[in-house]
Amino acid sequence: MEDALDRLDREISECRRCPRLVAWREEVAVTKRAAFRDEEYWGRPVPGFGPHRAPIAILGLAPAAHGGNRTGRIFTGDRSGDVLFAALHRAGLANQPTSTSRDDGLTLTATRIFAAVRCAPPDNKPTPLERDTCAPFLHRELREIAPDLRVVIALGAFAWAAFWPAVRAVYGVAPARKVPFGHGVLWQAEGAPALLGCYHVSQQNTFTGRLTPGMLDEILARAKQLAGLS
């Protein structure tokens, strides 16, 4: 039976509110990357992934053009996802270390993943208007998982910035002053989930060593502790 989160996921996947993003995601789905020329691309907004009752949430920037926009599942089918799901598996939060397609058997434990912007943007850079247009989806998703949510991991400065309007809208809580993003920075307030900063799992960070597997493992261990899972 479809519940409120299922309905939200369906509504997200049908959204056409941002003309530039609609045009880009659909163009990519037609032109494709040579390595995936025989695949049928998803080419739509990408909903969240993971259990409906999750004490840990991972908030990313947006789907990758040839990752989530191709496979229809966030962080699936690209190098960033390879790094993230391997770490989740090491942390005992995923049943397998790889994420290649929507039907690959991957399941998550106590963790839900979603993005601040649900469509793949050109150059991986949404505009402020696109971010704000998509924000109600983030707010609604947070409301649905709020009873169980204890900690949000923000992957990068964009996700970190997207969290503040959401936590204000959903929980009625806001920091007294701006909290700068940083890897390992923790913000906590009564009546709201904790926010934990983590460098994004992009190739730019993982290939250069700015974010190492050990650093990511430490973030997930801290999140599990904050969520009462360890």
Side-chain angles (χ1 to χ4, degrees), residues 27-148:
E27 177 186 342
V28 169
V30 172
T31 57
K32 305 182 180 181
R33 178 174 284 172
F36 309 123
R37 62 180 177 272
D38 296 328
E39 295 188 24
E40 182 177 351
Y41 274 53
W42 172 258
R44 291 190 276 159
V46 180
F49 172 61
H52 291 196
R53 301 188 64 177
I56 298 173
I58 299 176
L59 178 60
L61 191 164
H66 302 282
N69 187 58
R70 173 174 61 89
T71 63
R73 193 169 71 194
I74 192 70
F75 283 114
T76 295
D78 59 34
R79 294 288 181 85
S80 296
D82 291 344
V83 172
L84 178 61
F85 287 108
L88 288 168
H89 183 254
R90 292 194 300 272
L93 299 173
N95 69 324
Q96 61 190 43
T98 56
S99 179
T100 57
S101 68
R102 293 198 309 280
D103 58 359
D104 61 8
L106 175 68
T107 59
L108 300 181
T109 300
T111 306
R112 187 164 176 87
I113 305 176
F114 41 79
V117 173
R118 307 304 174 110
C119 291
D123 299 321
N124 208 32
K125 293 180 180 179
T127 67
L129 178 60
E130 290 161 352
R131 175 200 63 203
D132 295 344
T133 301
C134 210
F137 287 141
L138 173 59
H139 300 180
R140 287 170 59 187
E141 190 148 5
L142 283 175
R143 285 192 185 96
E144 292 303 325
I145 65 174
D148 299 280

